mmCIF file with all atom_site columns, all heavy atoms in Angstrom:
data_model
loop_
_atom_site.group_PDB
_atom_site.id
_atom_site.type_symbol
_atom_site.label_atom_id
_atom_site.label_alt_id
_atom_site.label_comp_id
_atom_site.label_asym_id
_atom_site.label_entity_id
_atom_site.label_seq_id
_atom_site.pdbx_PDB_ins_code
_atom_site.Cartn_x
_atom_site.Cartn_y
_atom_site.Cartn_z
_atom_site.occupancy
_atom_site.B_iso_or_equiv
_atom_site.pdbx_formal_charge
_atom_site.auth_seq_id
_atom_site.auth_comp_id
_atom_site.auth_asym_id
_atom_site.auth_atom_id
_atom_site.pdbx_PDB_model_num
ATOM 1   N N   . ALA S 1 80 ? 79.203 102.799 136.837 1.00 0.00 ? 80 ALA S N   1
ATOM 2   C CA  . ALA S 1 80 ? 80.421 102.120 137.392 1.00 0.00 ? 80 ALA S CA  1
ATOM 3   C C   . ALA S 1 80 ? 80.613 100.819 136.531 1.00 0.00 ? 80 ALA S C   1
ATOM 4   O O   . ALA S 1 80 ? 79.600 100.234 136.059 1.00 0.00 ? 80 ALA S O   1
ATOM 5   C CB  . ALA S 1 80 ? 80.282 101.823 138.830 1.00 0.00 ? 80 ALA S CB  1
ATOM 6   N N   . PHE S 1 81 ? 81.842 100.485 136.494 1.00 0.00 ? 81 PHE S N   1
ATOM 7   C CA  . PHE S 1 81 ? 82.122 99.160  135.744 1.00 0.00 ? 81 PHE S CA  1
ATOM 8   C C   . PHE S 1 81 ? 83.401 98.587  136.324 1.00 0.00 ? 81 PHE S C   1
ATOM 9   O O   . PHE S 1 81 ? 84.299 99.230  136.942 1.00 0.00 ? 81 PHE S O   1
ATOM 10  C CB  . PHE S 1 81 ? 82.318 99.527  134.287 1.00 0.00 ? 81 PHE S CB  1
ATOM 11  C CG  . PHE S 1 81 ? 83.571 100.368 134.035 1.00 0.00 ? 81 PHE S CG  1
ATOM 12  C CD1 . PHE S 1 81 ? 84.817 99.787  133.637 1.00 0.00 ? 81 PHE S CD1 1
ATOM 13  C CD2 . PHE S 1 81 ? 83.595 101.678 134.217 1.00 0.00 ? 81 PHE S CD2 1
ATOM 14  C CE1 . PHE S 1 81 ? 85.937 100.521 133.457 1.00 0.00 ? 81 PHE S CE1 1
ATOM 15  C CE2 . PHE S 1 81 ? 84.819 102.529 134.009 1.00 0.00 ? 81 PHE S CE2 1
ATOM 16  C CZ  . PHE S 1 81 ? 85.944 101.914 133.657 1.00 0.00 ? 81 PHE S CZ  1
ATOM 17  N N   . THR S 1 82 ? 83.513 97.224  136.130 1.00 0.00 ? 82 THR S N   1
ATOM 18  C CA  . THR S 1 82 ? 84.737 96.516  136.585 1.00 0.00 ? 82 THR S CA  1
ATOM 19  C C   . THR S 1 82 ? 85.801 96.791  135.451 1.00 0.00 ? 82 THR S C   1
ATOM 20  O O   . THR S 1 82 ? 85.679 96.446  134.318 1.00 0.00 ? 82 THR S O   1
ATOM 21  C CB  . THR S 1 82 ? 84.465 95.069  136.565 1.00 0.00 ? 82 THR S CB  1
ATOM 22  O OG1 . THR S 1 82 ? 83.319 94.863  137.503 1.00 0.00 ? 82 THR S OG1 1
ATOM 23  C CG2 . THR S 1 82 ? 85.630 94.258  137.023 1.00 0.00 ? 82 THR S CG2 1
ATOM 24  N N   . ARG S 1 83 ? 86.948 97.333  135.930 1.00 0.00 ? 83 ARG S N   1
ATOM 25  C CA  . ARG S 1 83 ? 88.001 97.591  134.987 1.00 0.00 ? 83 ARG S CA  1
ATOM 26  C C   . ARG S 1 83 ? 89.009 96.386  134.780 1.00 0.00 ? 83 ARG S C   1
ATOM 27  O O   . ARG S 1 83 ? 89.616 96.163  133.972 1.00 0.00 ? 83 ARG S O   1
ATOM 28  C CB  . ARG S 1 83 ? 88.770 98.870  135.348 1.00 0.00 ? 83 ARG S CB  1
ATOM 29  C CG  . ARG S 1 83 ? 89.782 99.323  134.348 1.00 0.00 ? 83 ARG S CG  1
ATOM 30  C CD  . ARG S 1 83 ? 90.523 100.542 134.806 1.00 0.00 ? 83 ARG S CD  1
ATOM 31  N NE  . ARG S 1 83 ? 91.581 100.827 133.798 1.00 0.00 ? 83 ARG S NE  1
ATOM 32  C CZ  . ARG S 1 83 ? 92.647 101.636 134.038 1.00 0.00 ? 83 ARG S CZ  1
ATOM 33  N NH1 . ARG S 1 83 ? 92.770 102.100 135.224 1.00 0.00 ? 83 ARG S NH1 1
ATOM 34  N NH2 . ARG S 1 83 ? 93.456 101.839 133.075 1.00 0.00 ? 83 ARG S NH2 1
ATOM 35  N N   . GLY S 1 84 ? 88.998 95.582  135.886 1.00 0.00 ? 84 GLY S N   1
ATOM 36  C CA  . GLY S 1 84 ? 89.959 94.515  135.955 1.00 0.00 ? 84 GLY S CA  1
ATOM 37  C C   . GLY S 1 84 ? 90.009 94.061  137.418 1.00 0.00 ? 84 GLY S C   1
ATOM 38  O O   . GLY S 1 84 ? 89.372 94.666  138.325 1.00 0.00 ? 84 GLY S O   1
ATOM 39  N N   . PRO S 1 85 ? 90.760 92.978  137.764 1.00 0.00 ? 85 PRO S N   1
ATOM 40  C CA  . PRO S 1 85 ? 91.248 92.031  136.813 1.00 0.00 ? 85 PRO S CA  1
ATOM 41  C C   . PRO S 1 85 ? 90.190 91.115  136.282 1.00 0.00 ? 85 PRO S C   1
ATOM 42  O O   . PRO S 1 85 ? 89.085 90.973  136.792 1.00 0.00 ? 85 PRO S O   1
ATOM 43  C CB  . PRO S 1 85 ? 92.282 91.268  137.690 1.00 0.00 ? 85 PRO S CB  1
ATOM 44  C CG  . PRO S 1 85 ? 91.725 91.245  139.041 1.00 0.00 ? 85 PRO S CG  1
ATOM 45  C CD  . PRO S 1 85 ? 91.065 92.707  139.184 1.00 0.00 ? 85 PRO S CD  1
ATOM 46  N N   . GLY S 1 86 ? 90.594 90.481  135.099 1.00 0.00 ? 86 GLY S N   1
ATOM 47  C CA  . GLY S 1 86 ? 89.608 89.595  134.433 1.00 0.00 ? 86 GLY S CA  1
ATOM 48  C C   . GLY S 1 86 ? 90.086 89.287  133.096 1.00 0.00 ? 86 GLY S C   1
ATOM 49  O O   . GLY S 1 86 ? 91.268 89.604  132.648 1.00 0.00 ? 86 GLY S O   1
ATOM 50  N N   . LEU S 1 87 ? 89.209 88.781  132.229 1.00 0.00 ? 87 LEU S N   1
ATOM 51  C CA  . LEU S 1 87 ? 89.436 88.480  130.838 1.00 0.00 ? 87 LEU S CA  1
ATOM 52  C C   . LEU S 1 87 ? 89.334 89.713  129.987 1.00 0.00 ? 87 LEU S C   1
ATOM 53  O O   . LEU S 1 87 ? 88.321 90.382  130.062 1.00 0.00 ? 87 LEU S O   1
ATOM 54  C CB  . LEU S 1 87 ? 88.473 87.351  130.305 1.00 0.00 ? 87 LEU S CB  1
ATOM 55  C CG  . LEU S 1 87 ? 88.503 86.033  131.103 1.00 0.00 ? 87 LEU S CG  1
ATOM 56  C CD1 . LEU S 1 87 ? 87.247 85.174  130.591 1.00 0.00 ? 87 LEU S CD1 1
ATOM 57  C CD2 . LEU S 1 87 ? 89.766 85.271  130.834 1.00 0.00 ? 87 LEU S CD2 1
ATOM 58  N N   . MET S 1 88 ? 90.335 89.924  129.170 1.00 0.00 ? 88 MET S N   1
ATOM 59  C CA  . MET S 1 88 ? 90.364 91.114  128.336 1.00 0.00 ? 88 MET S CA  1
ATOM 60  C C   . MET S 1 88 ? 89.056 91.404  127.539 1.00 0.00 ? 88 MET S C   1
ATOM 61  O O   . MET S 1 88 ? 88.456 92.418  127.712 1.00 0.00 ? 88 MET S O   1
ATOM 62  C CB  . MET S 1 88 ? 91.643 91.149  127.433 1.00 0.00 ? 88 MET S CB  1
ATOM 63  C CG  . MET S 1 88 ? 91.772 92.370  126.621 1.00 0.00 ? 88 MET S CG  1
ATOM 64  S SD  . MET S 1 88 ? 91.634 93.967  127.619 1.00 0.00 ? 88 MET S SD  1
ATOM 65  C CE  . MET S 1 88 ? 93.007 94.865  126.892 1.00 0.00 ? 88 MET S CE  1
ATOM 66  N N   . GLY S 1 89 ? 88.655 90.461  126.720 1.00 0.00 ? 89 GLY S N   1
ATOM 67  C CA  . GLY S 1 89 ? 87.535 90.571  125.900 1.00 0.00 ? 89 GLY S CA  1
ATOM 68  C C   . GLY S 1 89 ? 86.274 90.749  126.721 1.00 0.00 ? 89 GLY S C   1
ATOM 69  O O   . GLY S 1 89 ? 85.367 91.583  126.338 1.00 0.00 ? 89 GLY S O   1
ATOM 70  N N   . ALA S 1 90 ? 86.141 90.090  127.825 1.00 0.00 ? 90 ALA S N   1
ATOM 71  C CA  . ALA S 1 90 ? 84.994 90.157  128.634 1.00 0.00 ? 90 ALA S CA  1
ATOM 72  C C   . ALA S 1 90 ? 84.892 91.578  129.339 1.00 0.00 ? 90 ALA S C   1
ATOM 73  O O   . ALA S 1 90 ? 83.923 92.162  129.326 1.00 0.00 ? 90 ALA S O   1
ATOM 74  C CB  . ALA S 1 90 ? 85.064 89.121  129.790 1.00 0.00 ? 90 ALA S CB  1
ATOM 75  N N   . LEU S 1 91 ? 86.039 92.049  129.806 1.00 0.00 ? 91 LEU S N   1
ATOM 76  C CA  . LEU S 1 91 ? 86.099 93.353  130.518 1.00 0.00 ? 91 LEU S CA  1
ATOM 77  C C   . LEU S 1 91 ? 85.769 94.509  129.457 1.00 0.00 ? 91 LEU S C   1
ATOM 78  O O   . LEU S 1 91 ? 85.151 95.487  129.828 1.00 0.00 ? 91 LEU S O   1
ATOM 79  C CB  . LEU S 1 91 ? 87.496 93.596  131.064 1.00 0.00 ? 91 LEU S CB  1
ATOM 80  C CG  . LEU S 1 91 ? 87.905 92.682  132.259 1.00 0.00 ? 91 LEU S CG  1
ATOM 81  C CD1 . LEU S 1 91 ? 89.414 92.875  132.532 1.00 0.00 ? 91 LEU S CD1 1
ATOM 82  C CD2 . LEU S 1 91 ? 87.177 93.257  133.485 1.00 0.00 ? 91 LEU S CD2 1
ATOM 83  N N   . LEU S 1 92 ? 86.222 94.320  128.232 1.00 0.00 ? 92 LEU S N   1
ATOM 84  C CA  . LEU S 1 92 ? 86.019 95.355  127.197 1.00 0.00 ? 92 LEU S CA  1
ATOM 85  C C   . LEU S 1 92 ? 84.590 95.608  126.955 1.00 0.00 ? 92 LEU S C   1
ATOM 86  O O   . LEU S 1 92 ? 84.139 96.728  126.676 1.00 0.00 ? 92 LEU S O   1
ATOM 87  C CB  . LEU S 1 92 ? 86.705 94.968  125.896 1.00 0.00 ? 92 LEU S CB  1
ATOM 88  C CG  . LEU S 1 92 ? 88.201 95.284  125.826 1.00 0.00 ? 92 LEU S CG  1
ATOM 89  C CD1 . LEU S 1 92 ? 88.775 94.750  124.527 1.00 0.00 ? 92 LEU S CD1 1
ATOM 90  C CD2 . LEU S 1 92 ? 88.457 96.753  125.865 1.00 0.00 ? 92 LEU S CD2 1
ATOM 91  N N   . VAL S 1 93 ? 83.790 94.592  126.984 1.00 0.00 ? 93 VAL S N   1
ATOM 92  C CA  . VAL S 1 93 ? 82.342 94.692  126.720 1.00 0.00 ? 93 VAL S CA  1
ATOM 93  C C   . VAL S 1 93 ? 81.664 95.675  127.887 1.00 0.00 ? 93 VAL S C   1
ATOM 94  O O   . VAL S 1 93 ? 81.080 96.672  127.518 1.00 0.00 ? 93 VAL S O   1
ATOM 95  C CB  . VAL S 1 93 ? 81.606 93.351  126.819 1.00 0.00 ? 93 VAL S CB  1
ATOM 96  C CG1 . VAL S 1 93 ? 80.054 93.526  126.534 1.00 0.00 ? 93 VAL S CG1 1
ATOM 97  C CG2 . VAL S 1 93 ? 82.155 92.513  125.612 1.00 0.00 ? 93 VAL S CG2 1
ATOM 98  N N   . GLY S 1 94 ? 81.914 95.346  129.127 1.00 0.00 ? 94 GLY S N   1
ATOM 99  C CA  . GLY S 1 94 ? 81.422 96.192  130.208 1.00 0.00 ? 94 GLY S CA  1
ATOM 100 C C   . GLY S 1 94 ? 82.042 97.625  130.232 1.00 0.00 ? 94 GLY S C   1
ATOM 101 O O   . GLY S 1 94 ? 81.334 98.617  130.387 1.00 0.00 ? 94 GLY S O   1
#
Side-chain angles (χ1 to χ4, degrees):
F81 67 99
T82 304
R83 186 179 179 199
L87 300 169
M88 180 53 134
L91 290 166
L92 277 174
V93 177

